[in-house]
Amino acid sequence: MTEQTSAQARHSSAVRPEEVVLVFDFGAQYGQLIARRVRDLHVYSEIVPCDIKAAEVRELAPSAIILSGGPASVYADDAPSVDAAVFELGIPILGFCYGQQIMASTLGGTVSHTDKGEYGPAQLVRSENASQLLGETPAEQRVWMSHRDAVTAVPEGFVVTATTDVCPVASMENPERRLFATQFHPEVRHTEYGTDILRNFLFGICGLHASWTMTSIIDDAVAAIREQVGQDRVILGLSGGVDSSVVAALCARAVGKQVTCVFVNHGLLRKNEPEEVEAVFTKQFDVDFIHVHAEERYAELLAGVTDPEQKRRIIGTQFWKEFFAVAQDLARDGRAMKYLAQGTIYPDIIESGARKTGGKASTIKSHHNLIPFPEGVHFDLIEPLDHFFKDEVRALGTALGLPDHIVHRQPFPGPGLAIRIIGEVTPEKLAVLKEADAIVRQELDAYNEALYEETGVRNSEHSVWQYFAVLPDVRSVGVMGDERSYERPIILRAVESSDAMTADWAKLPYEVLGTISSRIVSEVAGINRVVYDITPKPPATIEWE
């Protein structure tokens, strides 16, 4: 750690493949989904703002471009537009929904506001014109629509390749210029042959290769980290979560003992988690592992604190104090750290609004920015996951040999159990919640595993996405062993979700709920009641705090 500047230089350690598909984002609800679908076909994709200039696109040298949908009308005053010169670059372009409309209007076609919208499933009928995009898909097929405006006259050189009852131009193409578009959404699963259409574009029209695999990703990332780090040292704040663990595993494979993992144990993790994290990174991966036992210091700081935001601030501030104390000790010991590795992932970049063409945000991940680094502290950042979505990070973790209990770890708040304890955090409350939460996870882990064995699908529609126990700051009367009790309840929270933006309460079988309740009341001292939170998000949040 040097004393030159308080600014943190940001560097990605991800390697950009030679074949890249750029997804122009026009504000679509499916923007990220398009990028995901392309990646599912083992072709690398990146999301860029729709107003990117043609000169910048040329510099990025993409193999193909996809124009996303969007909620606006092309004729609205503030409608997003595209640099017309992009269509003159000779790069194959595919537009969806608004992407088709902006392509048509930019190139001289007509987009009209129709009397009747088209939302949801629609029956697509192919025209007599040959279609490279639709390829061998059937003459009639189900597609997913979401529009009122529609192309009513195609630009010069284009032909109509499909229609619906409502939409006169459901798809159009100009094969000579390699420009293609659909009013429907091939990226959603409801479009029957959407994946085939994407394959036709990527492999048939663009001539790309399905070469973006976990093996190539790991090899490239490891090589990039080695090149960036050289003989210098790397420090990493290891939480035991998926992202930081995968970064640690990548760095360990790349530079081994040049990596120091600092695990700050605030005492607020779930039962046995500190021991599990230490076992993985001391026995399986060749890194220096420093276990900071800060439980007592956190307990003193949290004593008497009831406000959840104050808890978050205290826990976050103390983390950096503990972390930098270790970094300073290492520097005094002759092991100064030049690089800070962290688990920033692609949605962090996108959702921060920092989508810079050909680059990333200029600042550290938002929750890290809440606490300023000490004056005079400088790290260069290594962020090898900043091109990846969460499911890709999990796949990387599995390929790197991380155990399932880390790779498939449920979302867990940074402040840990402190925000699942309503009111003051005390050692007694922590002990109670850890035991109750362990029972909840044991029973619902078994429930999910039974579903997997029955369906063969790891995350079926009935699987529980997240589940945990909450300890509220109330007591209630009960009867235990023929005696009156006045103890605490446990709140069980179990939800079904895919992205945490919305969630519904899990419809667990009564026998599963009964087993959880019986075990908690019988095995956890101080609990005489279990209740189940059946509120969806919205209006509630998933977490309690």
Side-chain angles (χ1 to χ4, degrees):
M1 188 169 61
T2 64
E3 299 292 326
Q4 298 174 0
T5 175
S6 60
Q8 283 71 48
R10 191 180 191 282
H11 299 286
S12 168
S13 295
V15 176
R16 195 170 182 269
E18 291 185 4
E19 295 184 341
V20 177
V21 175
L22 292 185
V23 178
F24 283 32
D25 182 10
F26 290 91
Q29 60 177 319
Y30 300 134
Q32 291 190 36
L33 183 59
I34 297 170
R36 296 282 294 277
R37 292 290 177 258
V38 173
R39 291 176 180 216
D40 286 346
L41 295 172
H42 302 296
V43 176
Y44 179 70
S45 63
E46 285 184 5
I47 299 173
V48 297
C50 62
D51 58 359
I52 183 174
K53 298 302 182 184
E56 297 174 284
V57 175
R58 185 185 295 108
E59 184 178 345
L60 289 172
S63 304
I65 293 170
I66 296 179
L67 311 178
S68 83
S73 166
V74 294
Y75 296 122
D77 291 339
D78 58 349
S81 59
V82 64
D83 184 349
V86 167
F87 295 106
E88 308 303 324
L89 295 175
I91 300 168
I93 300 177
L94 173 60
F96 300 156
C97 194
Y98 186 90
Q100 170 170 279
Q101 295 169 19
I102 200 69
M103 181 185 292
S105 62
T106 302
L107 297 178
T110 303
V111 177
S112 304
H113 189 70
T114 59
D115 293 332
K116 183 179 180 181
E118 197 172 25
Y119 302 96
Q123 192 69 11
L124 183 84
V125 179
R126 294 182 57 167
S127 72
E128 295 180 356
N129 295 316
S131 172
Q132 292 182 24
L133 184 65
L134 299 179
E136 300 300 319
T137 62
E140 295 190 18
Q141 52 190 280
R142 186 184 69 251
V143 298
W144 190 260
M145 291 283 197
S146 181
H147 71 101
R148 181 172 290 277
D149 288 1
V151 177
T152 51
V154 300
E156 183 178 353
F158 281 76
V159 294
V160 177
T161 54
T163 62
T164 69
D165 288 343
V166 173
C167 187
V169 185
S171 64
M172 66 179 193
E173 56 190 73
N174 183 332
E176 290 184 3
R177 298 180 63 184
R178 294 196 295 175
L179 302 178
F180 304 83
T182 70
Q183 183 58 59
F184 59 91
H185 290 272
E187 72 273 25
V188 303
R189 298 298 187 194
H190 304 289
T191 293
E192 197 171 6
Y193 294 93
T195 300
D196 297 279
I197 291 168
L198 277 173
R199 282 198 186 99
N200 290 341
F201 178 69
L202 296 173
F203 306 124
I205 293 168
C206 302
L208 304 185
H209 304 87
S211 57
W212 198 66
T213 64
M214 282 300 129
T215 300
S216 68
I217 290 166
I218 291 172
D219 290 345
D220 290 346
V222 166
I225 292 170
R226 283 177 182 159
E227 181 179 356
Q228 182 178 351
V229 172
Q231 299 302 312
D232 292 308
R233 295 181 179 275
V234 181
I235 192 168
L236 182 149
L238 182 64
S239 69
V242 181
D243 302 335
S244 67
S245 296
V246 171
V247 171
L250 271 175
C251 290
R253 181 170 292 194
V255 293
K257 288 289 190 181
Q258 292 170 245
V259 180
T260 297
C261 293
V262 179
F263 176 63
V264 178
N265 185 353
H266 47 33
L268 304 169
L269 293 175
R270 293 170 286 198
K271 185 178 179 180
N272 297 328
E273 277 192 323
E275 296 79 8
E276 291 171 352
V277 172
E278 182 167 1
V280 168
F281 287 96
T282 56
K283 297 178 180 178
Q284 188 174 345
F285 293 94
D286 186 28
V287 298
D288 283 334
F289 183 90
I290 298 176
H291 189 152
V292 181
H293 285 281
E295 298 97 315
E296 292 184 5
R297 290 188 288 277
Y298 275 95
E300 291 174 4
L301 290 168
L302 291 170
V305 178
T306 59
D307 178 72
E309 281 305 310
Q310 189 178 357
K311 292 180 189 177
R312 285 184 178 273
R313 285 192 295 271
I314 289 170
I315 293 166
T317 301
Q318 187 61 26
F319 168 81
W320 285 115
K321 288 181 178 179
E322 301 286 347
F323 183 84
F324 287 119
V326 172
Q328 288 165 347
D329 287 343
L330 290 169
R332 283 191 290 267
D333 193 36
R335 293 187 290 165
M337 301 290 161
K338 179 176 180 179
Y339 293 98
L340 170 65
Q342 66 172 18
T344 305
I345 64 175
Y346 200 31
D348 296 326
I349 303 299
I350 297 169
E351 290 161 12
S352 70
R355 290 170 289 177
K356 305 298 183 184
T357 302
K360 305 295 180 302
S362 59
T363 54
I364 297 175
K365 197 173 179 180
S366 60
H367 69 267
H368 291 158
N369 278 330
L370 296 176
I371 309 300
F373 282 11
E375 185 67 30
V377 171
H378 171 89
F379 289 113
D380 287 345
L381 298 186
I382 295 177
E383 296 179 309
L385 305 181
D386 64 355
H387 283 50
F388 301 106
F389 290 101
K390 193 73 169 188
D391 59 335
E392 294 167 339
V393 173
R394 294 187 193 279
L396 272 173
T398 298
L400 287 163
L402 285 168
D404 283 349
H405 67 79
I406 287 182
V407 171
H408 298 291
R409 186 182 192 245
Q410 291 186 38
F412 190 64
L417 297 178
I419 62 171
R420 293 178 181 173
I421 293 175
I422 311 304
E424 181 184 10
V425 178
T426 66
E428 176 265 333
K429 288 182 180 179
L430 264 174
V432 167
L433 183 56
K434 286 183 179 182
E435 293 299 325
D437 185 74
I439 292 171
V440 170
R441 290 188 291 124
Q442 288 167 10
E443 293 300 327
L444 291 184
D445 285 350
Y447 171 74
N448 273 349
E449 193 60 31
L451 280 177
Y452 170 60
E453 292 178 1
E454 178 184 337
T455 64
V457 179
R458 177 58 67 184
N459 294 301
S460 72
E461 61 178 326
H462 300 296
S463 298
V464 191
W465 187 72
Q466 188 177 357
Y467 37 95
F468 54 88
V470 177
L471 184 65
D473 195 24
V474 297
R475 294 180 184 270
S476 65
V477 173
V479 178
M480 302 182 75
D482 296 327
E483 294 183 0
R484 180 183 183 275
S485 67
Y486 188 61
E487 304 289 2
R488 300 183 188 278
I490 281 289
I491 297 167
L492 168 61
R493 183 69 160 150
V495 299
E496 298 169 352
S497 181
S498 60
D499 56 10
M501 300 303 293
T502 61
D504 196 9
W505 61 280
K507 313 305 187 292
L508 296 172
Y510 291 148
E511 58 268 26
V512 174
L513 291 170
T515 299
I516 292 172
S517 176
S518 177
R519 283 196 60 192
I520 289 176
V521 172
S522 300
E523 299 175 29
V524 183
I527 300 298
N528 66 356
R529 189 183 299 270
V530 176
V531 298
Y532 190 27
D533 179 355
I534 61 170
T535 317
K537 175 187 179 181
T541 56
I542 294 176
E543 290 288 347
W544 277 65
E545 57 177 292

